[in-house]
Amino acid sequence: MTGRNARRNLRGVWTALLTVLGLFLVACAKNAPQDTLAPVGPVAEQADNLFRPVFWIAVVIFFLVEGALVYAMWRFRRRSDADAPKQVHGNTRLEILWTIIPAVLLAAIGVPTVITIFDVAEKPVGANVVHVKVIGHQWWWEYEYLDVELPGGGNLKTANELVIPTGRWVDLTVTSVDVIHSFWVPKLAGKQDAIPGKDNFIKLRADQPGVYEGQCAEYCALSHANMRLRVIAQPSADFDNWVRGQVAPAPQPADAQIVDRFLNTCFQCHTLRGIGSGGGATTGPDLTHFASRSMFAGSMLETNARNLAAWLDNPSSLKPLADLPAGPTMRDYDLSQSEIDALVAYLMSLE
């Protein structure tokens, strides 16, 4: 090997090592809110308990097979033109051995897998179960609490943040109004597709209070990456207080221009219980208690006056929204600065 070839090979080895090291380092993160390897809820823990032994079985098999392959290549390499390996075709003991071992391994993996699938698919029952319908929209999540009736009829609806009580099963019926989405909160449960015209089921439970982040896991066009979600688990007493607050209608705005803007513009897509008939549209999120949510715009922006003003001024500058056949989901309505200020003040008061 010439000196030039040796240097070239050495550079190749270093490049490969640095690439592997780089991939390893970027895979490490202290703050990984969607880490499936750190489950919190019982459903996610079941999947993790299944994954870990299967993973290590696969690792052992990989090294055994690859090791046997490398050994056979070296031990039985051709040493001369007349050399030929010893033939093992028809060896009964070997045939039985490499039939039984994979069968035992598949049974060891398959039996707990089937048990876990049936267990996860079993719907929770009882008076303590919370029933919520999850509806995917481009690009946000709508939650309808099927156990919570509003005084004027219908069920309580919120957006993007799913508030649940700790220690209680939550029965989620998942669907979509436009394209296929996938509801996924890695620390609490697996994925479930949201398919138009079809109701799918998934359950989850959080035994500890906290905020568990999730995201649409099925590509659904331009702002798929911005279709995020949060599950907020609260103690039962806090959850009950939250429900009582959400059921109440919003206060009537004192500013006439806000009422006019809602009636003639916002109600084309949104609902706000507290102004007129409330609108009733579901193209956009229900805004009745907008400021009680920590995030908006598909859990992309923190709920504060500055972000809300920027959103109302030009939504597409903050979140790509404009590739739908009917146009952007939230258009720039050329609001005046006084209208933006008034709307921000009113919406930020809706806790």
Side-chain angles (χ1 to χ4, degrees):
M1 181 181 295
T2 65
R4 178 176 296 179
N5 287 337
R7 287 193 295 274
R8 184 180 301 164
N9 289 340
L10 187 61
R11 280 199 299 271
V13 171
W14 275 108
T15 301
L17 288 174
L18 290 174
T19 302
V20 172
L21 179 62
L23 291 173
F24 177 76
L25 290 176
V26 298
C28 301
K30 289 184 178 178
N31 181 22
Q34 298 187 44
D35 184 0
T36 56
L37 300 179
V40 176
V43 177
E45 287 173 348
Q46 280 183 285
D48 188 66
N49 292 338
L50 183 62
F51 164 77
R52 291 183 185 275
V54 171
F55 173 78
W56 287 114
I57 290 173
V59 168
V60 171
I61 292 173
F62 172 81
F63 281 104
L64 285 176
V65 171
E66 295 302 316
L69 181 62
V70 172
Y71 173 77
M73 292 168 60
W74 176 81
R75 177 67 177 81
F76 303 106
R77 68 187 184 280
R78 188 176 186 181
R79 293 179 171 81
S80 68
D81 291 343
D83 194 15
K86 182 182 177 181
Q87 300 301 306
V88 295
H89 178 70
N91 189 311
T92 304
R93 278 188 291 183
L94 279 179
E95 295 283 354
I96 293 174
L97 191 64
W98 61 44
T99 300
I100 291 179
I101 290 178
V104 171
L105 284 172
L106 287 176
I109 294 172
V111 170
T113 300
V114 171
I115 292 174
T116 301
I117 289 173
F118 277 94
D119 196 30
V120 169
E122 186 177 0
K123 296 195 73 161
V125 295
N128 254 348
V129 176
V130 178
H131 299 89
V132 180
K133 187 172 186 178
V134 180
I135 305 167
H137 298 254
Q138 285 178 310
W139 291 275
W140 61 283
W141 294 99
E142 178 182 9
Y143 304 112
E144 180 178 359
Y145 289 76
L146 303 178
D147 308 312
V148 183
E149 293 185 6
L150 297 172
N155 297 318
L156 172 64
K157 295 180 179 179
T158 64
N160 299 315
E161 294 184 348
L162 175 63
V163 180
I164 64 172
T166 54
R168 291 169 60 182
W169 282 110
V170 182
D171 175 7
L172 300 176
T173 301
V174 183
T175 188
S176 169
V177 297
D178 38 49
V179 299
I180 297 176
H181 304 278
S182 184
F183 182 84
W184 187 35
V185 188
K187 285 184 176 295
L188 296 181
K191 301 173 184 175
Q192 183 55 275
D193 282 348
I195 302 173
K198 179 177 175 60
D199 289 341
N200 286 329
F201 156 76
I202 191 171
K203 65 181 177 184
L204 55 82
R205 194 181 80 198
D207 292 330
Q208 299 297 326
V211 178
Y212 305 99
E213 297 191 15
Q215 143 122 48
C216 176
E218 180 79 26
Y219 179 70
C220 54
L222 186 63
S223 260
H224 159 68
N226 299 317
M227 189 172 172
R228 308 168 192 173
L229 64 100
R230 288 181 157 197
V231 175
I232 300 175
Q234 301 179 340
S236 284
D238 293 344
F239 174 75
D240 293 339
N241 288 333
W242 176 83
V243 170
R244 281 192 287 272
Q246 295 289 312
V247 167
Q252 176 81 18
D255 191 333
Q257 69 175 338
I258 295 179
V259 176
D260 181 68
R261 182 54 82 171
F262 265 94
L263 292 176
N264 295 300
T265 304
C266 304
F267 279 177
Q268 295 174 21
C269 299
H270 296 280
T271 293
L272 198 154
R273 291 178 286 113
I275 297 179
S277 64
T282 58
T283 303
D286 187 314
L287 301 176
T288 305
H289 292 281
F290 170 82
S292 69
R293 303 166 199 153
S294 58
M295 307 286 284
F296 71 102
S299 286
M300 182 184 172
L301 301 174
E302 182 181 351
T303 303
N304 58 48
R306 180 171 55 86
N307 286 340
L308 181 56
W311 177 260
L312 293 172
D313 183 44
N314 187 358
S316 291
S317 68
L318 301 177
K319 179 178 180 178
L321 297 165
D323 74 336
L324 299 178
T329 54
M330 175 71 181
R331 287 185 288 157
D332 179 358
Y333 288 96
D334 293 324
L335 300 174
S336 67
Q337 191 58 50
S338 65
E339 286 180 308
I340 291 175
D341 292 342
L343 285 167
V344 168
Y346 177 63
L347 289 170
M348 290 303 297
S349 72
L350 302 179
E351 295 183 349

